[in-house]
Amino acid sequence: MKPLSSKIETRQHRLLREAAEWRLISLLFDRPSEVWRKQVAELSNGIGDETLKLAAQAAQREATEGFYHSIFGPGGPAPAREVSYCDLVQPGQLMAELSGYYDAFAYAPDTAEVIDHVSIEAGFIGYLRLKEAYALECGDTSHAEVTAEAAELFLCEHLSRIAEPLANALVESGSSYLVLAGSALLLRTGPRKDKPARAGLPVLEDAEDGSFQCGEV
């Protein structure tokens, strides 16, 4: 029987593959430019994920800075910032949490976007995948595990909050590359972990005496 080792993806290879995929997702949600087009094309050449490859190809045809702002800018149909999807978290608290994550792992992306933008957060996961792979290469399993735990927590607490409503909104964007990018993001985060607050006033259940009391809920 032939050995299976050559057919099994090692943890380091998986991390490097995922790092490249997350980096491409980050780029697809970033502001288009001529440099951006080159980066998207070059990165997509080495990626096997068909959804991301199709997204990268469509981006070359569709993406413009004006269209980007019409979708993600003020009043656009698909807000790209996490703060837009926070129902119970204060903006200051959110920014402090994100800064804490980024500072702890020396993440300082070269971009003009704010730190809760989906492109920044997706890029952070790609960055953590690279750091985890590097720690394993150096034999530092403790640091690798800490990095892996941070990535999973960040996905659960932050990116999953954005991915599902953003992907749903992008379906109506008229852009195939953004629809595909949204699908790729949601596939990796899973559905939203927290439940959005109910819009409007709460409905009070009928009480026996028709009254209610203030205090503990």
Side-chain angles (χ1 to χ4, degrees), residues 93-113:
Q93 177 186 342
L94 171 63
M95 296 303 181
E97 289 178 4
L98 293 174
S99 294
Y101 269 108
Y102 299 163
D103 291 346
F105 291 93
Y107 177 60
D110 183 16
T111 177
E113 299 294 355

Side-chain angles (χ1 to χ4, degrees), residues 109-161:
D110 183 16
T111 177
E113 299 294 355
V114 290
I115 63 173
D116 67 327
H117 195 280
V118 64
S119 65
I120 305 297
E121 295 195 10
F124 182 56
I125 297 298
Y127 177 79
L128 291 181
R129 295 290 191 251
L130 280 178
K131 287 187 74 72
E132 184 182 347
Y134 180 73
L136 290 172
E137 181 67 22
C138 295
D140 189 350
T141 56
S142 177
H143 188 76
E145 294 307 319
V146 168
T147 306
E149 289 174 6
E152 294 312 305
L153 192 60
F154 189 86
L155 281 170
C156 179
E157 292 184 344
H158 294 285
L159 266 176
S160 72
R161 181 182 287 155

Side-chain angles (χ1 to χ4, degrees), residues 3 7 11-13 48 68 71 97 101 111 135 180 199 204 216:
K7 299 181 180 180
R11 179 178 173 183
Q12 286 167 269
H13 287 159
Y68 174 88
I71 299 298
E97 289 178 4
Y101 269 108
T111 177
L180 290 165
L204 297 175
E216 294 184 359

Side-chain angles (χ1 to χ4, degrees), residues 50 57 66 98 161 180 184 193 198:
E50 286 302 317
Q57 292 168 8
L98 293 174
R161 181 182 287 155
L180 290 165
K193 304 301 188 296
R198 180 183 298 174

